[in-house]
Amino acid sequence: ATVHFEANRGQAPADARYVAAGARQVTLFTADGPVLAAASARIGMTLAGSRRASLEALDPLPGRSNYWLPSGAISDVPHFARLRYNRVYPGIDLLFHGAQGAMEYDFTVSPGADPAAIRMRFQGASSVALEGGVLVVRAGALHLRHRVPVAYQEIAGQRRNVDAQYRIAGGTVSFALGSYDHSRPLTIDPVLTYA
């Protein structure tokens, strides 16, 4: 199923500003970050040392959702292809989008911004570990697998890959990056899969 994003008009818990609906999971986007939920488990992803970012839905899609709830009908909720937390760190945005039914998120790093500022924490997780370069976050039966991150720059119409891997210190996850051109934008793209 394709992942899409929609504004919360009462079809989700009140703290969610937006909701992403996918095949087996729901992601709630709060002012403090995304909350990934499946079955009875919830994992909240927060960014240590970040500023409270504004949320912006991007790229309207043709679909609409309608809900019939005990409190009444909610109709004509628009769908969007992407959702962005603006300026979570100086010069760094956090962008969510779907690809092949999986949720992806990108950190887009402006020229001169410092990707070492990015520090992810996972609220509600019972363990945060690396397994062969893959970041595995567990809470009960919910296992979030963040595949080995892909980092790249677009230079003269060519995609140039940058070495990237996760680092964990005290339960906080950051990125270790190889050399790249600091005068050009950088994208760090982990793919998230649920199990």
Side-chain angles (χ1 to χ4, degrees):
T2 320
V3 177
H4 70 268
F5 303 89
E6 52 188 55
N8 183 13
R9 302 252 177 95
Q11 75 272 32
D15 63 339
R17 305 259 312 282
Y18 289 88
V19 182
R24 294 191 314 272
Q25 73 284 337
V26 170
T27 305
L28 309 173
F29 295 89
T30 72
D32 296 317
V35 177
L36 310 131
S40 57
R42 286 166 64 105
I43 297 173
M45 182 175 130
T46 60
L47 298 173
S50 70
R51 61 185 283 275
R52 212 174 168 127
S54 64
L55 262 168
E56 182 181 10
L58 306 167
D59 305 335
L61 294 170
R64 294 280 192 271
S65 293
N66 299 295
Y67 297 91
W68 302 100
L69 304 173
S71 57
I74 300 167
S75 60
D76 207 32
V77 181
H79 294 182
F80 296 89
R82 299 184 305 147
L83 189 65
R84 181 170 61 206
Y85 284 89
N86 291 303
R87 299 284 182 256
V88 288
Y89 297 105
I92 300 175
D93 292 340
L94 173 56
L95 186 71
F96 285 84
H97 56 97
Q100 288 86 50
M103 174 92 72
E104 291 192 25
Y105 61 95
D106 302 345
F107 287 99
T108 55
V109 181
S110 298
D114 183 7
I118 300 167
R119 297 188 319 282
M120 298 180 287
R121 290 199 182 123
F122 296 93
Q123 315 298 330
S126 54
S127 74
V128 178
L130 286 174
E131 296 178 6
V134 174
L135 175 66
V136 182
V137 181
R138 292 183 173 88
L142 176 58
H143 296 185
L144 297 177
R145 301 178 67 80
H146 304 247
R147 291 184 221 154
V148 176
V150 174
Y152 61 90
Q153 295 184 291
E154 299 280 349
I155 297 177
Q158 300 279 87
R159 180 187 265 205
R160 293 202 189 153
N161 287 330
V162 174
D163 287 333
Q165 51 194 321
Y166 299 109
R167 290 272 181 266
I168 301 177
T172 299
V173 179
S174 58
F175 296 102
L177 298 171
S179 61
Y180 69 95
D181 184 344
H182 292 254
S183 71
R184 295 176 182 272
L186 169 72
T187 299
I188 305 170
D189 178 10
V191 178
L192 187 58
T193 57
Y194 290 72

